[in-house]
Amino acid sequence: VGAGDLMTASFGGSAVGLTIVWAAVAGAVLKWFLTEGIARWQMGTDCTLLVGWKERLGRWLQIVFLVYLLAWSFFTGGALVAACGVAGTGLLPLTADPTHSKIIWGVVHSLLGLLLVRVGGFKLFERMMATCIAVMFVAVVATAVLLAPDWAGVAKGLVLPRIPEGDLGWVLGLLGGVGGTVTLLSYGYWVREEGRQGMSGLRACRIDLLVGYSMTALFGVAMVMIGSRVTLDGGGANAAPRLAAQLGDLMGPGGSWIFLVGFWGAVFSSLLGVWQSVPYLFADFWALWKGTPGERRESIDYANTRPYRVYQVALALVPLPLLLISVKQAQLIYAIMGAFFMPLLAVTLLILNNSRWLGERFRNGWLANAV
């Protein structure tokens, strides 16, 4: 949860109002089933989904995924550093020109995130994420409630799903952006770090995913509610200050500061999550591409391999030029690109999780197949 949910939901809510609130919930439900499917494959086979793709579906899928991963990493990295730049500018403008301040803060957050996840390791990463997400969740939900929203409109948006004419992009972006995209695959590496295995591991995964995606749905709905009460034309470097100023008019200065702190917690936790987890995917890809034997691959500490470190540094540095384009434009590109990953993931999980390669206890049920 982070920048995709916050930025896309607020811009979407501002553009089309509460009519798309259903997409935040639908996105979270969809992501629960997809991530549970990833966990089920891993708990049942003791290998990551990338291994399943290569060994069961062929090397061609590996190549397709690598091309997509490189493009996604570039645009996602750019959207995240831009969002962090906006959040930093909202809390403490460094220059009179908000665009320059956004660029400086974006670079600072990118390098700080790299330092924290590189030096601190997985345990510091867990603590940082827990802190940022707690701040984000409490602040954003409190802001939504304090705005005294149109609860009837929220209920209508939830029970009568519809796509506003000409606004399919925002619906697709919200479905794609809420609760992660390519980063869903990172869950397999996080549970590997925790040592989860078998049915007991799967039960633990289902519980934390249920809690996590319930919060994700609530967070997405809250951001659409906030966005529906403000005007976000343009969407440049002053998006956060402008949003906070309008919230301040509605709730007072305290309300705007609550939101700005929550905004920062959301986007910086999102950056930390990507900087720490996506290099796992490249490191796993690299080990598979080189033909590392399975038993040796399972014992690799990916976070300390050269491919992981190189990709992590590239993630923090290569997308920085995207700080020069519109925040709103970068966010929509990132969210829609993420949405295009969902069909690929869904189709491969339908194949792998219904196959004889997975034990009967771990195979898809009718509900998972239907979703």
Side-chain angles (χ1 to χ4, degrees), residues 244-299:
Q246 292 184 53
L247 291 171
D249 292 339
L250 294 167
M251 299 186 298
S256 65
W257 276 103
I258 289 171
F259 175 77
L260 283 172
V261 172
F263 187 111
W264 175 83
V267 295
F268 190 52
S269 67
S270 196
L271 181 142
L272 285 174
V274 170
W275 272 213
Q276 193 274 346
S277 66
V278 171
Y280 279 129
L281 303 178
F282 183 75
D284 197 8
F285 169 88
W286 189 259
L288 285 165
W289 190 259
K290 287 175 61 182
T292 307
E295 55 281 2
R296 213 179 117 212
R297 208 170 48 238
E298 290 306 311
S299 64

Side-chain angles (χ1 to χ4, degrees), residues 17-225:
L18 295 171
T19 54
I20 62 167
V21 75
W22 65 270
V25 177
V29 171
L30 179 63
K31 302 297 172 61
W32 185 92
F33 277 93
L34 291 169
T35 315
E36 191 269 351
I38 293 168
R40 193 146 33 81
W41 167 262
Q42 188 158 321
M43 297 299 107
T45 62
D46 265 343
C47 64
T48 63
L49 193 65
L50 260 63
V51 174
W53 285 357
K54 187 225 170 184
E55 295 186 351
R56 304 301 181 186
L57 301 178
R59 180 165 277 206
W60 67 271
L61 185 55
Q62 249 193 313
I63 298 169
V64 169
F65 176 69
L66 177 64
V67 172
Y68 180 86
L69 179 67
L70 293 173
W72 180 90
S73 297
F74 179 69
F75 285 107
T76 298
L80 289 174
V81 293
C84 285
V86 169
T89 299
L91 286 169
L92 180 64
L94 297 177
T95 67
D97 184 345
T99 301
H100 291 159
S101 180
K102 178 198 80 172
I103 292 171
I104 296 169
W105 272 124
V107 172
V108 167
H109 278 83
S110 185
L111 298 179
L112 178 62
L114 176 64
L115 179 68
L116 288 170
V117 298
R118 184 67 248 147
V119 175
F122 186 70
K123 290 303 176 187
L124 177 63
F125 166 71
E126 276 191 311
R127 289 194 292 270
M128 287 289 298
M129 288 291 278
T131 302
C132 286
I133 289 171
V135 168
M136 163 199 87
F137 185 81
V138 171
V140 168
V141 173
T143 301
V145 172
L146 289 170
L147 276 173
D150 174 11
W151 292 109
V154 173
K156 185 178 177 183
L158 286 171
V159 300
L160 296 173
R162 69 183 185 89
I163 298 172
E165 188 175 346
D167 288 304
L168 176 62
W170 286 116
V171 173
L172 189 62
L174 191 52
L175 282 167
V178 165
T181 53
V182 174
T183 45
L184 298 186
L185 295 178
S186 306
Y187 188 68
Y189 302 91
W190 288 335
V191 297
R192 188 174 180 255
E193 294 270 9
E194 295 286 348
R196 292 184 187 173
Q197 290 180 311
M199 281 305 297
S200 62
L202 181 58
R203 282 192 290 271
C205 289
R206 284 171 172 164
I207 292 168
D208 69 40
L209 289 173
L210 179 62
V211 173
Y213 280 115
S214 297
M215 292 176 67
T216 298
L218 185 55
F219 182 84
V221 169
M223 279 312 310
V224 173
M225 288 162 59

